[in-house]
């Protein structure tokens, strides 16, 4: 499988933005053996562009966030565009952690 892109969207498919939602983000691929958790920039290890990121069996991603006054939002989703055997697909995934994420100052 090849991931073409991953983006944060609302349930209606509109992208999550810093101006509207208080979230800036970057998404990267990492070694599938990397332990899950919260890391600082220096501790994450080797990261790769998520665009055209190859996954053979298992894969992991890193979500790098910058936030300002983010409130819970049950409409936040993750949209993944990918190819399997050359055939393009897209999935919008409900992710509880993303829905419940808040960072109010």
């Amino acid at each position: 499988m090849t991931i073409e892109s991953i983006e944060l969207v609302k349930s209606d498919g509109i992208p999550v933005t810093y101006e509207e939602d208080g979230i800036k983000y970057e998404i990267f691929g990492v070694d599938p053996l990397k332990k899950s958790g919260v890391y600082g920039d220096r501790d994450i290890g080797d990261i790769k562009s998520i665009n055209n990121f190859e996954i053979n069996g298992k894969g992991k991603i890193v979500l790098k966030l910058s936030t300002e006054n983010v409130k819970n939002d049950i409409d936040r989703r993750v949209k993944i565009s990918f190819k399997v055997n050359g055939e393009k697909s897209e999935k919008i995934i409900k992710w509880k952690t993303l829905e419940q994420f808040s960072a109010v100052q």
Side-chain angles (χ1 to χ4, degrees), residues 7-17 20-21 73-79 90-94 99:
E7 61 183 309
L8 304 184
V9 297
K10 301 290 186 109
S11 58
D12 58 7
I14 294 174
V16 168
T17 65
E20 182 134 339
D21 307 289
D73 187 344
I74 61 169
D75 287 327
R76 280 191 215 119
R77 305 281 190 270
V78 177
K79 182 168 91 173
E90 185 177 279
K91 299 270 185 198
I92 295 181
I93 300 166
K94 191 172 182 174
E99 292 176 351

Side-chain angles (χ1 to χ4, degrees), residues 1-104:
M1 175 170 73
T2 302
I3 295 178
E4 293 192 318
S5 67
I6 298 178
E7 61 183 309
L8 304 184
V9 297
K10 301 290 186 109
S11 58
D12 58 7
I14 294 174
V16 168
T17 65
Y18 187 71
E19 295 76 24
E20 182 134 339
D21 307 289
I23 300 173
K24 280 189 218 177
Y25 66 93
E26 294 178 87
I27 300 175
F28 303 95
V30 294
D31 182 337
L33 300 177
K34 183 76 175 171
K35 202 171 183 184
S36 296
V38 177
Y39 291 90
D41 281 343
R42 294 184 201 148
D43 300 328
I44 197 62
D46 188 31
I47 58 175
K48 297 179 171 79
S49 171
I50 200 65
N51 299 328
N52 297 312
F53 184 65
E54 291 286 331
I55 295 178
N56 297 311
K58 291 184 178 183
K60 284 205 176 172
I61 63 168
V62 169
L63 179 60
K64 183 177 179 180
L65 299 171
S66 295
T67 63
E68 184 175 319
N69 295 322
V70 178
K71 295 183 177 132
N72 301 25
D73 187 344
I74 61 169
D75 287 327
R76 280 191 215 119
R77 305 281 190 270
V78 177
K79 182 168 91 173
I80 304 174
S81 299
F82 59 96
K83 281 187 201 173
V84 176
N85 298 324
E87 189 172 322
K88 290 185 179 191
S89 293
E90 185 177 279
K91 299 270 185 198
I92 295 181
I93 300 166
K94 191 172 182 174
W95 181 19
K96 270 292 193 219
T97 302
L98 188 59
E99 292 176 351
Q100 296 174 354
F101 178 75
S102 66
V104 180

